[in-house]
Amino acid sequence: MKMAFVLFDKMTLLDFSGFCEAVTWLRMLNAFDDVTWEFCADREQVTDDRGLTLRAGRVSPNLSAYDLVFIPGGLSTRQLRYDAEFLDWIRTAKDVPYKVSVCTGALIWGAAGFLEGKRATTNPSAYELLEPYCAEVAKARFVRDGNVFTGGGVSASIDLGLYVVESLAGPDIAKQAQAKLDYPYYTLQT
């Protein structure tokens, strides 16, 4: 399983890091053969919404090369959803088996056209912004509709990560990852 973590200026770091920490346990727990990930952005360096600068390993790669693409949120998603060049890059994920976002990252999937007819969630402050892009905005911590996983507000990134682990690798691996995170708040879904 090859994963891409999309990074962009003014993203919220916990959106990214909570999910990343949970889902990368798929490799450490040997859930699948050959679990890899790459940090991808539309430029070499991005700066989060608190001023931390991160260097992307891949600049605007074709996202179709991945099995899972994850998009975090942040206030800048409100502008990125109108950025044609950025959305064209995101649309290269058309055939990716799993599309995942937390918080307002859902606005990016929506603006790129991937939430049409789907049920999705986002940060409660952005429910109305998500409405034009999907069939139903769910007021939930996380939602799965087919191959699309969306998570609610910032700290939901950890729960969403564990939910994705559980969905892809089963409850035993999810329980092990949860224990490694010392995160008692997630409840298994199966």
Side-chain angles (χ1 to χ4, degrees), residues 18 34 65 69 94 105 117 147 165 168 172 177-178:
D34 202 25
V69 174
K94 179 179 178 252
N147 68 340
V165 169
L168 301 181
D172 184 54
Q178 183 176 11

Side-chain angles (χ1 to χ4, degrees), residues 51-71:
L52 178 66
T53 298
L54 305 164
R55 183 177 301 273
R58 301 286 313 277
V59 176
S60 300
N62 185 325
L63 296 172
S64 68
Y66 299 93
D67 301 302
L68 182 152
V69 174
F70 171 75
I71 303 175

Side-chain angles (χ1 to χ4, degrees), residues 70-122:
F70 171 75
I71 303 175
L75 284 175
S76 62
T77 57
R78 287 156 174 81
Q79 288 77 40
L80 281 174
R81 65 191 168 131
Y82 300 114
D83 183 323
E85 190 174 327
F86 186 82
L87 293 177
D88 283 345
W89 173 48
I90 297 301
R91 287 185 185 109
T92 66
K94 179 179 178 252
D95 296 320
V96 168
Y98 300 104
K99 296 168 185 71
V100 185
S101 66
V102 73
C103 200
T104 58
L107 297 177
I108 302 302
W109 285 128
F114 294 121
L115 297 183
E116 286 183 29
K118 302 247 182 227
R119 187 171 175 260
T121 194
T122 187

Side-chain angles (χ1 to χ4, degrees), residues 19-84:
F19 180 82
C20 180
E21 180 65 29
V23 80
T24 54
W25 278 102
L26 287 170
R27 179 166 76 189
M28 273 73 96
L29 295 171
N30 297 311
F32 302 107
D33 292 333
D34 202 25
V35 176
T36 62
W37 54 85
E38 295 180 328
F39 304 104
C40 307
D42 60 344
R43 61 199 65 189
E44 192 174 304
Q45 284 188 171
V46 298
T47 302
D48 82 343
D49 59 5
R50 302 298 196 272
L52 178 66
T53 298
L54 305 164
R55 183 177 301 273
R58 301 286 313 277
V59 176
S60 300
N62 185 325
L63 296 172
S64 68
Y66 299 93
D67 301 302
L68 182 152
V69 174
F70 171 75
I71 303 175
L75 284 175
S76 62
T77 57
R78 287 156 174 81
Q79 288 77 40
L80 281 174
R81 65 191 168 131
Y82 300 114
D83 183 323

Side-chain angles (χ1 to χ4, degrees), residues 117-132:
K118 302 247 182 227
R119 187 171 175 260
T121 194
T122 187
N123 189 300
S125 69
Y127 286 158
E128 288 181 14
L129 297 176
L130 186 60
E131 285 175 356

